[in-house]
Amino acid sequence: MSRDSLRGPVRGWMTGAADALVCLVWAAGVWVALHLQAAPALRAVALFVHLAALILGLGAVQTIDYYGLLWLLGRRSLRQVLDFTGPLHVLVWSGLAGMVISGAVLGLDPASAATRVKLGLVLLVALNGVHAYALHRSLAGQTGGQVDKRLLVRAAISVVVSQAGWWGAAAIGFLNSQG
C-alpha cells in the first residue's frame, strides 16, 4: 500500500478526531459557563479578553476571505493566497479559543433562545474551521492552474458558514450585552 493511498483515510480520521475534540471543548466550555459564578472584577477582565479574542479571530477570518476573493478576481495566485493565509489559521483558532474560555467565565443564560443560537453558531464556526483547514490542505495539493470544482464549492460553503457564524454570534453577543 503506497503512502498516497493512505492519505485520504488518515486525513478523514484526523478530521473526525478534530471534530470530536472541538465538540468536547465546546461542551466543556458550556458546562463551565453554567456552573461558574465569577466575581465582577473577573467578569470585567473576561469581557475585555472576549472582545480582544473576537477582534483577533474575526480579523483573521476576514483577511483569509479577502485574500480568497483576490484569488477569485485574478489578483493573486492560489499559491500566494495559500502561503499568506496558512499562518492565519493560528490566529483564528487563538481568537476562537479565547472567546470560548472568556465566554465560559462570562456565564450564559440557558433559558435564552438567543444564547442557545449563539452557542450553536460558535460550535458551527469551530467545526467549519476544522474543515476549512482540511480544505486549505486540499487546495495546496492541487497541481496545475485549474482547481477542482468540488473544492471551489466547498470553499464557497465554508466562507458563507464562517461569515454567518462569526457575525451572527457577534451580533447576538452585542444584543445580549444590551439587556
Side-chain angles (χ1 to χ4, degrees):
M1 190 175 268
S2 74
R3 184 176 178 201
D4 286 339
S5 66
L6 289 176
R7 270 199 187 135
V10 170
R11 280 191 184 167
W13 180 86
M14 295 293 287
T15 300
D19 283 342
L21 180 61
V22 161
C23 290
L24 183 65
V25 169
W26 176 85
V30 171
W31 186 88
V32 168
L34 290 171
H35 293 89
L36 179 70
Q37 293 295 332
L42 181 57
R43 284 183 51 78
V45 170
L47 180 58
F48 177 80
V49 169
H50 204 69
L51 293 173
L54 173 65
I55 292 166
L56 179 67
L58 183 56
V61 165
Q62 294 299 92
T63 303
I64 290 169
D65 291 349
Y66 175 70
Y67 265 74
L69 179 62
L70 290 176
W71 169 64
L72 289 174
L73 295 173
R75 309 287 300 271
R76 297 286 185 277
S77 71
L78 180 59
R79 177 60 32 214
Q80 288 173 319
V81 171
L82 294 172
D83 289 346
F84 180 79
T85 61
L88 295 175
H89 290 273
V90 173
L91 298 179
V92 174
W93 284 107
S94 297
L96 190 56
M99 291 181 67
V100 169
I101 292 166
S102 60
V105 174
L106 290 172
L108 55 88
D109 177 10
S112 166
T115 297
R116 292 192 305 268
V117 170
K118 181 180 178 182
L119 289 172
L121 289 173
V122 169
L123 179 59
L124 182 67
V125 162
L127 291 171
N128 186 61
V130 170
H131 292 274
Y133 181 75
L135 175 63
H136 185 99
R137 291 181 57 113
S138 294
L139 285 168
Q142 292 285 289
T143 55
Q146 197 67 16
V147 174
D148 185 339
K149 296 275 190 227
R150 290 175 296 177
L151 291 178
L152 287 175
V153 170
R154 281 178 54 199
I157 291 168
S158 182
V159 166
V160 169
V161 167
S162 179
Q163 291 293 321
W166 277 93
W167 286 107
I172 290 169
F174 171 75
L175 293 173
N176 280 347
S177 73
Q178 302 303 300

